[in-house]
Amino acid sequence: MQSPAHTYLLGGGPLHLQQQDLAAAPRVLALHDLSGFGRCSLAVILPVLSCMGAQVVQVPTAVLSSHTGGLGDPVLRDLSDMLLPTLQHYRQLGLDFAAVYSGFFSSAGQVSACRAYCQAFPQALKVIDPVMGDDQKAYRTCTGQLMAQMRPLIAEADVITPNETEAAILLGEDHTRRRVFDAAGARRWLVGLAGLGCKSVVITGCHMPDGRYNLVYSGGAYSRVRAEYLPVGYPGTGDIFTSALTGRLLGGDALPQAASFAAQFVERAIALTQKAGTDRRWGVQLEKALPWLFAPELQQRVSPL
Ligand code: PXL
């Protein structure tokens, strides 16, 4: 995954911080919500990408008291009216960005504002996480209109990172049904999503007969990355995954290697959380997992699909 964004880095990847000392930190413009409690969205994107050597410029799409995953009725303030004026301000400042990374939207109109961000920074790596649901359910904020707007946004993307539920929504498949993918089915979904106009695709957390995988399509090639998440699902792990993936792509990793790194980081965070035994709705113990980013112990997880 090469883009002019990489000229920000002096090679060696985002974890070789000393090598980067001479270069400015790459900027990642993150359009996502800010949820106070529950460790998701900007609350995890900021620490993960900062530890990987990138500056996160946060454009909150909404402020919530917590995520929407089982903590009662969060207070939500939609910030749609800030999005285009914020873009105008950044253009006046002459800022450029190594990446534009989008996630949770609280209204359909925000999706088209995000397209304006993508078009305003053509050199940036566009990472679109089409946050719409999980575990065979659409989030309550995900209206039919929002689902419909998501497809044209994906046409702007270099990389998209849907989970199985979101991939099904985008493909017009039944998202309430969990599947076990064979290689042909996995390839069909990857190609179907690429057909929406993005360059590369990662579908996270898919079951195959021999385990759980992230499915990857990039540069015309298919691969899969073992993702042995423990059986408890924690909110925010998709956001942690896409943040770590983005950090590695900016360091020059190819997409399967970036996905492998991100999967191992998420697994580490989940394992530490299971040890701590905290409520799943509180999210993962990210604070304990962050040091791994500075000294990762990596396994080879990528295989052809
Ligand atoms: O992690 C995805 C996410 C982001 N933002 C909000 C959410 C969720 C998942 O529940 O509720 C507000």
Side-chain angles (χ1 to χ4, degrees):
M1 182 67 42
Q2 286 300 319
S3 87
H6 299 115
T7 57
Y8 282 87
L9 297 166
L10 292 181
L15 299 173
H16 298 119
L17 296 175
Q18 287 126 330
Q19 289 182 35
Q20 268 192 47
D21 280 350
L22 297 175
R27 286 192 201 109
V28 177
L29 188 147
L31 284 143
H32 223 304
D33 72 281
L34 180 59
S35 285
F37 183 69
R39 294 193 187 88
C40 71
S41 39
L42 289 173
V44 301
I45 292 166
L46 182 58
V48 170
L49 278 165
S50 295
C51 286
M52 297 180 79
Q55 176 196 5
V56 180
V57 176
Q58 304 139 73
V59 182
T61 53
V63 176
L64 292 88
S65 50
S66 75
H67 61 65
T68 60
L71 290 166
D73 266 335
V75 185
L76 186 153
R77 182 76 35 96
D78 178 277
L79 298 178
S80 299
D81 60 352
M82 285 192 64
L83 299 188
L84 291 177
T86 299
L87 173 58
Q88 203 179 0
H89 185 202
Y90 293 166
R91 295 192 79 164
Q92 277 162 4
L93 292 174
L95 295 179
D96 55 10
F97 294 93
V100 172
Y101 163 21
S102 80
F104 178 92
F105 299 117
S106 57
S107 71
Q110 295 185 345
V111 189
S112 48
C114 181
R115 282 171 70 198
Y117 276 85
C118 290
Q119 287 160 6
F121 303 109
Q123 306 296 318
L125 180 76
K126 316 293 185 316
V127 181
I128 309 289
D129 186 6
V131 175
M132 292 188 285
D134 204 0
D135 295 325
Q136 287 68 58
K137 289 194 279 288
Y139 296 136
R140 63 185 88 161
T141 46
C142 180
T143 59
Q145 246 184 339
L146 191 141
M147 289 182 193
Q149 285 284 326
M150 203 55 100
R151 287 197 190 133
L153 175 61
I154 279 171
E156 305 285 341
D158 290 298
V159 188
I160 63 169
T161 58
N163 57 35
E164 184 196 338
T165 306
E166 291 155 347
I169 292 172
L170 289 168
L171 292 171
E173 300 277 352
D174 177 8
H175 69 271
T176 63
R177 189 163 76 76
R178 181 169 275 303
R179 294 161 181 80
V180 177
F181 288 87
D182 59 15
R187 285 173 170 230
R188 206 164 40 244
W189 275 42
L190 288 166
V191 161
L193 290 170
L196 297 176
C198 54
K199 292 198 184 81
S200 305
V201 180
V202 181
I203 312 177
T204 57
C206 291
H207 291 271
M208 297 189 78
D210 59 344
R212 208 157 168 206
Y213 290 89
N214 299 323
L215 311 174
V216 181
Y217 175 76
S218 185
Y222 303 90
S223 53
R224 60 180 195 163
V225 174
R226 218 160 15 94
E228 292 161 347
Y229 301 149
L230 297 151
V232 187
Y234 292 92
T237 47
D239 307 331
I240 295 170
F241 176 87
T242 305
S243 304
L245 178 101
T246 302
R248 291 298 287 203
L249 290 176
L250 291 179
D253 266 10
L255 187 60
Q257 281 65 38
S260 174
F261 178 96
Q264 290 175 66
F265 180 53
V266 170
E267 260 171 52
R268 166 103 189 133
I270 290 177
L272 289 168
T273 309
Q274 295 232 302
K275 275 198 196 128
T278 43
D279 190 318
R280 63 162 288 283
R281 297 169 303 170
W282 301 356
V284 293
Q285 296 286 310
L286 180 66
E287 304 76 13
K288 305 213 166 184
L290 288 171
W292 184 90
L293 291 171
F294 296 98
E297 283 173 33
L298 287 172
Q299 298 167 354
Q300 158 54 9
R301 295 282 186 96
V302 182
S303 54
L305 176 66

